[in-house]
């Protein structure tokens, strides 16, 4: 009895001190990161290059700029009392690591050539690609995105419609299922020789292949989404006088959307690989073509630059898709975490 | 008394005639009889409970009345018109709230009006229905943010917005905690008295059946036949402690063969 009253007293909310807005303290790791970038700047600018690199000076300036910014935030915070953005603060360890890595990379390539030369490009050579070859690189990105978008949109639209139709109609399912089962798992790239032969241009052929690669996962996951809709959802709508059209558009499709987005995500991944292969094999533009071209000229710095841009493009597109999903499926928050 | 009550009200409720209905399911290629020659007349504005052992076919009977399925033999009609499919005048409230998770509370309640293309003209009825179940504040919430009782209230509002002549309740309170269930039993009865629809309630809870309805139909094991048809001639509002309710409950448990521990 006494213990009960004691517990009651202890759990009284008023006993807890109010949460204090505590300052996070000196950004120590920021200062170390600033030092690392400073060292990188000194190594790049101070030591002699083993070859004529055009952009050594610019690279040193960039490193010094980053070092200065970090120093400004780490020290300025203490003096002036403003707060460093939480995101920057959070990135501290990464900034330190990249500073150190850049220094090491610079030393082993441009300064002492500890790594075999043409294959391991120096940081300033990579920078030079961006400063000098940006029109061609930009053009390649544009062509890649255009080709990808065309094929992806067609594949997603066809896959979605087909998936809904198969999930909804038994008759369509009967005919589509075996075909899908046979053709679907075949990698889209296997169609490459046929496609380049059957279509009038390599651009059309690639669009077809990308659409094919996108379409399969979108179809299957839309279908399984529609087939997996809680049957009681239909009963509810039917008792209230819903038409077939209403059941498809307002019940089946919204309920299947989470699954559809998994399909769209998988389709996007598949479309990237088809895009690159198609560009390497026949299309005379785009990042895949740029990679191939750079390798042909043994321009390894260009190759790495193109790989970097490609990575940014892919992750950018995936992020875009996720944003769209978060917007359309806001109701899922708290139900499903990706 | 209850008969008088029903006659005093405007006859908004439907009369339901179940005539010699038998039904069976195909189960692994074998015919599984569920209902065996069930006949039943429900007067307008009555609230009738279907009571029976688990899996006896009471929910099946309710689905047949809703028009979600067609009986193998026999006919069911509402106000003399044979039921061949679902109709918005006969709305079902299921054991699970079955709210659409992608719709807000308000959009869920709008469902019936939207499905029939009446939403633009009768949008005010959505607000009225929400008010009726006391969830106006939660109009913009999503189902996953609601408690079980609140979700079931939304489900009730979604049914009522259609202004049904017949409300079919398929164990709607079965999954709620006992306190919420008692509150909602009272609310449902109050609502039924005010609105004047005919109610058919499937339940496995004898106390609930006795407390809420004018008539309790006791069904046998599968294939179900009507074992007893018991009138509950007590006025509303009823009190759970009423000795006459206890007596009726004992009588019904007797029919079900569960009276030994009483």
């Amino acid at each position: 009895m006494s213990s009960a009253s004691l517990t009651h007293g202890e759990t009284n909310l008023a006993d807890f001190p109010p949460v204090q807005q505590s300052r996070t303290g000196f950004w120590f790791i920021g200062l170390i990161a600033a030092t690392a970038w400073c060292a990188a700047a000194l190594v790049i600018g101070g030591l002699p290059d083993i070859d004529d690199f055009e952009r050594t000076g610019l690279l040193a300036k960039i490193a010094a700029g980053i070092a200065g910014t970090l120093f400004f935030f780490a020290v300025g915070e203490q003096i002036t009392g403003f707060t460093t953005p939480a995101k920057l603060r959070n990135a501290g360890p990464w900034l330190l690591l990249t500073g150190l890595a850049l220094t090491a990379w610079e030393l082993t390539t441009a300064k002492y050539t500890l790594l075999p030369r043409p294959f391991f490009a120096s940081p300033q050579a990579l920078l030079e690609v961006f400063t000098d070859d940006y029109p061609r690189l930009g053009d390649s990105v544009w062509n890649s995105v255009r080709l990808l978008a065309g094929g992806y949109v067609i594949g997603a639209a066809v896959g979605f419609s087909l998936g809904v139709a198969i999930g909804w109609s038994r008759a369509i399912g009967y005919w589509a299922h075996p075909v899908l089962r046979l053709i679907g798992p075949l990698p889209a790239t296997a169609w490459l020789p046929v496609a380049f032969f059957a279509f009038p241009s390599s651009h059309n052929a690639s669009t077809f292949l990308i659409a094919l690669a996108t379409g399969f996962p979108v179809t299957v996951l839309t279908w399984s989404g529609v087939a997996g809709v809680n049957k009681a959802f239909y009963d509810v709508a039917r008792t209230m006088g819903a038409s077939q059209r209403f059941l498809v558009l307002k019940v089946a499709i919204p309920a299947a959307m989470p699954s559809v987005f998994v399909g769209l995500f998988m389709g996007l991944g598949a479309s990237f690989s088809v895009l690159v292969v198609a560009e390497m094999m026949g299309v005379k533009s785009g990042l895949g073509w740029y990679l191939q071209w750079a390798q042909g000229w043994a321009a390894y710095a260009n190759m790495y630059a193109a790989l970097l841009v490609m990575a940014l493009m892919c992750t950018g597109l995936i992020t875009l898709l996720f944003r769209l999903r978060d917007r359309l499926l806001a109701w899922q928050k708290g139900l499903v975490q990706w | 008394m209850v008969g008088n009550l029903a006659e005093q009200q405007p006859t908004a409720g439907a009369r339901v005639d179940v005539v010699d209905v038998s039904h069976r399911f195909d189960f692994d290629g074998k015919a599984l009889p569920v209902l065996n020659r069930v006949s039943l007349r429900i007067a307008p504005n009555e609230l009738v409970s279907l009571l029976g052992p688990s899996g006896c076919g009471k929910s099946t009977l309710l689905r047949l009345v809703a028009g979600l399925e067609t009986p193998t033999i026999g006919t069911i009609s509402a106000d003399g018109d044979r039921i061949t499919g679902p109709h918005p005048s006969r709305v079902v409230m299921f054991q699970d709230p079955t709210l659409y998770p992608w719709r807000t509370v308000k959009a869920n309640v709008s469902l019936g009006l939207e499905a029939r293309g009446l939403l633009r003209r009768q949008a005010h009825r959505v607000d009225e229905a929400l008010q009726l179940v006391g969830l106006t504040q939660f109009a913009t919430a999503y189902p996953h943010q609601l408690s079980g009782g609140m979700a079931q209230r939304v489900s009730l509002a979604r049914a009522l917005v259609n202004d049904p002549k017949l409300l079919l309740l398929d164990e709607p309170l079965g999954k709620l905690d006992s306190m919420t269930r008692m509150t909602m039993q009272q609310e449902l009865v109050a609502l039924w008295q005010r609105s004047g629809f005919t109610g058919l309630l499937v339940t496995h809870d004898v106390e609930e059946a006795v407390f809420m309805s004018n008539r309790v139909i006791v069904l046998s094991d599968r294939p179900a036949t009507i074992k007893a048809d018991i009138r509950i001639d007590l006025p509303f509002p009823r009190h759970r402690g009423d000795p006459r309710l206890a007596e009726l409950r004992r009588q019904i448990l007797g029919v079900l063969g569960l009276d030994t521990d009483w």
Side-chain angles (χ1 to χ4, degrees):
Chain A
M1 284 153 283
S2 62
S3 69
S5 60
L6 192 70
T7 341
H8 183 75
E10 274 170 1
T11 51
N12 195 336
L13 275 176
D15 290 347
F16 288 102
V19 179
Q20 276 178 353
Q21 192 67 47
S22 58
R23 283 185 61 84
T24 34
F26 179 56
W27 190 30
F28 189 63
I29 199 114
L31 192 64
I32 304 181
T35 319
W37 279 93
C38 194
L42 288 173
V43 165
I44 296 163
L47 296 174
D49 288 342
I50 42 98
D51 202 346
D52 286 337
F53 289 122
E54 305 244 341
R55 301 295 167 190
T56 306
L58 179 63
L59 187 64
K61 277 182 204 152
I62 291 173
I66 292 172
T69 312
L70 289 173
F71 189 74
F72 171 76
F73 277 109
V75 177
E77 191 178 41
Q78 289 307 111
I79 298 166
T80 58
F82 69 83
T83 43
T84 309
K87 267 193 178 164
L88 182 63
R89 222 184 155 93
N90 196 33
W94 268 108
L95 287 163
L96 170 60
L97 182 75
T98 44
L100 293 174
L102 178 64
T103 315
W105 182 12
E106 180 70 22
L107 286 170
T108 50
T109 54
K111 303 305 179 192
Y112 298 110
T113 337
L114 300 173
L115 297 168
R117 247 253 347 248
F119 193 72
F120 287 92
S122 65
Q124 45 267 64
L126 204 67
L127 183 63
E128 192 179 330
V129 177
F130 288 113
T131 55
D132 294 25
D133 204 21
Y134 68 87
R136 192 168 4 199
L137 210 48
D139 193 49
S140 296
V141 173
W142 171 239
N143 283 323
S144 282
V145 169
R146 238 180 32 184
L147 180 59
L148 184 76
Y152 186 75
V153 168
I154 293 172
V158 171
F160 177 76
S161 318
L162 195 61
V164 170
I166 297 172
W168 190 254
S169 154
R170 204 177 286 249
I172 297 175
Y174 174 81
W175 293 107
H177 187 210
V179 178
L180 212 60
R181 187 110 185 215
L182 180 71
I183 309 288
L186 192 66
T189 41
W191 290 95
L192 210 88
V194 181
F196 278 109
F197 168 74
F199 283 87
S201 74
S202 59
H203 189 275
N204 287 355
S206 310
T207 304
F208 166 74
L209 291 176
I210 292 166
L212 201 63
T214 310
F216 178 58
V218 175
T219 307
V220 171
L221 278 141
T222 305
W223 165 20
S224 91
V226 170
V229 176
N230 185 351
K231 296 287 173 282
F233 286 169
Y234 296 130
D235 283 347
V236 166
R238 281 174 62 211
T239 59
M240 293 181 186
S243 59
Q244 287 284 309
R245 188 188 145 85
F246 188 91
L247 291 182
V248 176
L249 296 180
K250 298 290 179 119
V251 184
I253 290 177
M257 277 325 268
S259 184
V260 172
F261 267 97
V262 177
L264 287 173
F265 169 66
M266 288 168 60
L268 192 56
S271 73
F272 291 152
S273 80
V274 176
L275 172 77
V276 174
V277 173
E279 284 176 345
M280 284 179 167
M281 301 298 287
V283 186
K284 293 281 171 275
S285 62
L287 284 169
W289 166 84
Y290 189 100
L291 274 174
Q292 193 82 339
W293 168 85
Q295 198 238 4
W297 288 96
Y300 290 104
N302 295 58
M303 218 172 72
Y304 295 130
L307 272 177
L308 181 64
V309 170
M310 200 184 277
L312 291 175
M313 180 185 88
C314 294
T315 188
L317 289 171
I318 297 250
T319 308
L320 210 65
L321 183 70
F322 276 27
R323 287 273 159 81
L324 182 70
R325 186 208 62 196
D326 290 345
R327 227 188 147 79
L328 286 178
L329 303 186
W331 57 269
Q332 260 202 320
K333 278 194 181 140
L335 273 186
V336 178
Q337 293 287 339
W338 272 17
Chain B
M1 276 183 294
V2 178
N4 289 340
L5 185 78
E7 278 161 19
Q8 280 157 18
Q9 280 175 350
T11 47
R15 189 189 83 229
V16 179
D17 293 291
V18 178
V19 184
D20 220 7
V21 163
S22 297
H23 194 65
R24 55 172 167 266
F25 288 125
D26 275 332
F27 192 72
D28 275 345
K30 281 189 294 182
L32 181 75
V34 206
L35 297 173
N36 186 18
R37 307 198 62 173
V38 173
S39 287
L40 175 66
R41 164 174 279 216
I42 302 170
N45 306 76
E46 251 187 330
L47 208 173
V48 176
S49 285
L50 286 177
L51 199 63
S54 171
C56 75
K58 28 186 209 299
S59 290
T60 305
L61 182 54
L62 184 122
R63 286 179 69 84
L64 294 177
V65 175
L68 287 169
E69 283 164 50
T70 332
T72 317
I73 305 170
T75 59
I76 302 176
S77 54
D79 286 335
D81 295 327
R82 190 166 170 177
I83 294 170
T84 53
H87 192 270
S89 67
R90 300 183 291 271
V91 185
V92 188
M93 188 174 161
F94 296 93
Q95 181 173 26
D96 290 307
T98 55
L99 302 176
Y100 294 174
W102 60 90
R103 284 177 172 239
T104 60
V105 165
K106 189 170 176 170
N108 264 294
V109 175
S110 310
L111 187 72
L113 296 177
E114 196 182 323
R116 283 182 287 151
L118 302 173
L119 187 57
R120 195 164 297 174
R121 269 176 292 153
Q122 306 193 8
H124 60 98
R125 285 178 46 188
V126 175
D127 299 317
E128 286 164 15
L130 277 174
Q131 204 166 11
L132 210 58
V133 297
L135 285 176
T136 307
Q137 279 171 287
F138 292 89
T140 55
Y142 280 101
H144 72 84
Q145 297 169 300
L146 306 176
S147 72
M150 281 155 78
Q152 204 52 282
R153 278 205 178 86
V154 176
S155 170
L156 179 61
R158 182 179 62 184
L160 292 174
V161 87
N162 299 290
D163 204 8
K165 285 165 156 277
L166 178 60
L167 186 62
L168 301 161
L169 303 154
D170 190 0
E171 292 188 42
L173 313 179
K175 284 189 175 171
L176 301 179
D177 64 90
S178 59
M179 285 197 286
T180 313
R181 191 189 315 180
M182 284 199 267
T183 322
M184 286 206 57
Q185 284 169 354
Q186 277 163 345
E187 284 178 20
L188 269 172
V189 167
L191 209 71
W192 162 70
Q193 284 189 290
R194 257 185 298 159
S195 321
F197 48 76
T198 306
L200 184 60
L201 171 72
V202 165
T203 180
H204 53 247
D205 182 345
V206 179
E207 195 179 316
E208 182 170 284
V210 169
F211 180 72
M212 287 179 68
S213 44
N214 311 122
R215 240 170 105 195
V216 177
I217 311 283
V218 184
L219 298 175
S220 70
D221 261 325
R222 196 180 54 234
T225 52
I226 293 179
K227 251 175 139 178
D229 184 342
I230 297 156
R231 297 205 74 85
I232 315 285
D233 278 334
L234 294 174
F236 293 96
R238 294 172 180 171
H239 297 282
R240 289 176 200 280
D242 192 325
R244 283 171 298 176
L245 282 187
E247 176 52 42
L248 281 161
R249 184 167 61 172
R250 198 200 321 264
Q251 188 190 337
I252 291 166
L253 284 168
V255 175
L256 288 164
L258 297 168
D259 55 340
T260 41
D261 50 353
W262 271 81

